[in-house]
Amino acid sequence: MGTLAQQGVQMQSHMRAVTQTHYGNPEDVLVVRDMPAPQPGPGQVRVRVMAASVHADVWHAITGRPFILRLMGSGLRCPSQPIPGTDVAGIVDSVGEGVVGFVQGDSVFGECGIGFQWANAGAYAELACVPQTALAHKPKFLSYEQAAAVPTSGLIALHTMLGAFPLRAGHRVLINGSAGALGSLALQIAKAQGAHVTAVDEAFKLPYLQQLGADTVVDYRSRPVEQLKETFDLIYDVASTLSVSGCRHLFKEGGKLVWIGHDHYGAAGRAVFGSAPKGLGLALAATWDANLSKPIFTAPDRTKGMRVLTGLLAAGQITPVVYKAFALEEAKAAFALLQSGKHQGRIVLVPTYHATHHAVASHASGQPRRG
Ligand SMILES: NC(=O)c1ccc[n+]([C@@H]2O[C@H](COP(=O)([O-])OP(=O)(O)OC[C@H]3O[C@@H](n4cnc5c(N)ncnc54)[C@H](OP(=O)(O)O)[C@@H]3O)[C@@H](O)[C@H]2O)c1
């Protein structure tokens, strides 16, 4: 059996997509228009996108900030891929040559890009091509919106948290910036390993963190992490506001700090090199400072990572919370909400936006919901 194209099956040739022709703030550069539909190359699966997630790494790729990402494959003068977005959930539309294990109609989720995640990868569209190596079957009970929230942030959490510190039952973990895309998955992954998790974020997000399974919650404004009395095996600093010297008294024996490098949507002011100089400095310091974990500069192993994430989702150990769904035409509003920090749960774009999705949006405007 060949590909659908080889079988003469008519494939959709055009689609609606969020696009950009140059770098800039989402509100200034994003335009929804008709685009040629991508054709699946060898090893690629074309997915009818039911949902795609909105997160910090897509913001970086749209704005071209920090500048260094343009040298890392995003495109020097303008984005080489005009359609933003990295991860999707949807239905297999057609498969390229050599694809094994996925057929038309399968419900799937995965990551569109290859290499580093700081580049547009074509997710914010009606159709997107995903390498089969970064695609998995979606657990049946999970909505497309929930599934789309997992791949990029989940792969980063596995890679940078468990890759740096293999957690096991009884370990005590502090996650600084727990309520964001990465922290909310890291929290649940740490809990799945049997760790005790102290989750730190803004006061109004603490009930959400308890809902995700946090054992202890801390409002970073009223109780600075450095003033806590507990000690930890791992401090996973997504917000990237801590220093190893400031946390020295918080480490158990062999305890480590993993510093992620969050630029806070440009507010950190590192427009050219972003977190890279600090990350390199920490990598150097980790050669003599036992409390520092070596920063990881490689891209995650997506095949292995998607297998692990699917297992955790299927076992109910990760339950992504969707805060609000937006139509493609509302992409600018979706990024404004992301940058505002007012959400408790994930933000997704839904290309086939229809009445049922309003239910997700309106429900989410109050209490966050599971499922
Ligand atoms: N190291 C790596 O390998 C790697 C790889 C990929 C991505 N990244 C980076 O990792 C970051 C991922 O973050 P994300 O997607 O989870 O971001 P996010 O969704 O913006 O979440 C960040 C959370 O931290 C909270 N926060 C802000 N200031 C804080 C503080 N001082 N103390 C505690 N919490 C604070 C934020 O709340 P409020 O702002 O509302 O207060 C928010 O809830 C991105 O910047 C991405 O580029 C790193």
Side-chain angles (χ1 to χ4, degrees), residues 138-158:
K138 178 182 79 62
K140 280 197 174 55
F141 59 88
L142 212 63
S143 70
Y144 288 107
E145 289 90 342
Q146 286 178 299
V150 175
T152 299
S153 303
L155 290 169
I156 295 170
L158 288 176

Side-chain angles (χ1 to χ4, degrees), residues 96-158:
E97 220 175 294
V99 168
V100 178
F102 297 101
V103 295
Q104 192 183 29
D106 284 355
S107 288
V108 293
F109 70 125
E111 193 172 54
C112 306
I114 50 169
F116 289 99
Q117 285 127 323
W118 269 4
N120 287 347
Y124 292 175
E126 289 175 324
L127 292 161
C129 285
V130 185
Q132 64 172 335
T133 49
L135 197 66
H137 288 97
K138 178 182 79 62
K140 280 197 174 55
F141 59 88
L142 212 63
S143 70
Y144 288 107
E145 289 90 342
Q146 286 178 299
V150 175
T152 299
S153 303
L155 290 169
I156 295 170
L158 288 176

Side-chain angles (χ1 to χ4, degrees), residues 122-276:
Y124 292 175
E126 289 175 324
L127 292 161
C129 285
V130 185
Q132 64 172 335
T133 49
L135 197 66
H137 288 97
K138 178 182 79 62
K140 280 197 174 55
F141 59 88
L142 212 63
S143 70
Y144 288 107
E145 289 90 342
Q146 286 178 299
V150 175
T152 299
S153 303
L155 290 169
I156 295 170
L158 288 176
H159 192 52
T160 58
M161 186 174 71
L162 297 190
F165 194 99
L167 286 171
R168 55 168 202 274
H171 274 142
R172 296 186 85 89
V173 182
L174 181 144
I175 300 176
N176 190 40
S178 281
L182 181 49
S184 59
L185 290 172
L187 188 167
Q188 295 180 82
I189 292 169
K191 285 300 299 172
Q193 312 309 307
H196 177 284
V197 178
T198 297
V200 183
D201 214 296
E202 276 199 79
F204 81 95
K205 300 179 186 175
L206 301 187
Y208 165 55
L209 297 177
Q210 283 166 325
Q211 184 193 345
L212 295 181
D215 298 287
T216 308
V217 291
V218 175
D219 164 21
Y220 72 83
R221 290 190 202 277
S222 64
R223 269 178 85 201
V225 167
E226 292 84 349
Q227 292 175 16
L228 297 179
K229 300 285 177 245
E230 301 91 328
T231 52
F232 302 95
D233 298 286
L234 173 66
I235 297 178
Y236 186 65
D237 186 11
V238 180
S240 310
T241 53
L242 304 175
S243 69
V244 71
S245 55
C247 293
R248 197 74 74 189
H249 58 292
L250 298 175
F251 292 115
K252 288 188 181 297
E253 196 185 338
K256 300 269 184 212
L257 172 73
V258 172
W259 187 86
I260 289 298
H262 194 352
D263 286 341
H264 297 265
Y265 308 101
R270 300 180 283 242
V272 179
F273 293 111
S275 315

Side-chain angles (χ1 to χ4, degrees), residues 6-82:
Q6 286 163 348
Q7 293 165 42
V9 176
Q10 189 78 32
M11 287 174 64
Q12 183 178 333
S13 62
H14 280 77
M15 62 176 188
R16 298 293 285 166
V18 178
T19 65
Q20 63 179 130
T21 53
H22 51 284
Y23 291 116
N25 290 323
E27 75 227 45
D28 299 326
V29 300
L30 297 184
V31 178
V32 176
R33 59 190 171 103
D34 283 329
M35 291 286 286
Q39 302 304 316
Q44 288 187 330
V45 175
R46 191 168 91 162
V47 174
R48 180 159 299 281
V49 180
M50 302 300 285
S53 92
V54 175
H55 57 84
D57 292 290
V58 186
W59 180 89
H60 284 293
I62 290 172
T63 56
R65 294 200 298 265
F67 192 87
I68 193 172
L69 69 79
R70 305 181 193 200
L71 305 173
M72 292 165 64
S74 179
L76 195 54
R77 293 167 63 87
C78 62
S80 32
Q81 156 64 278

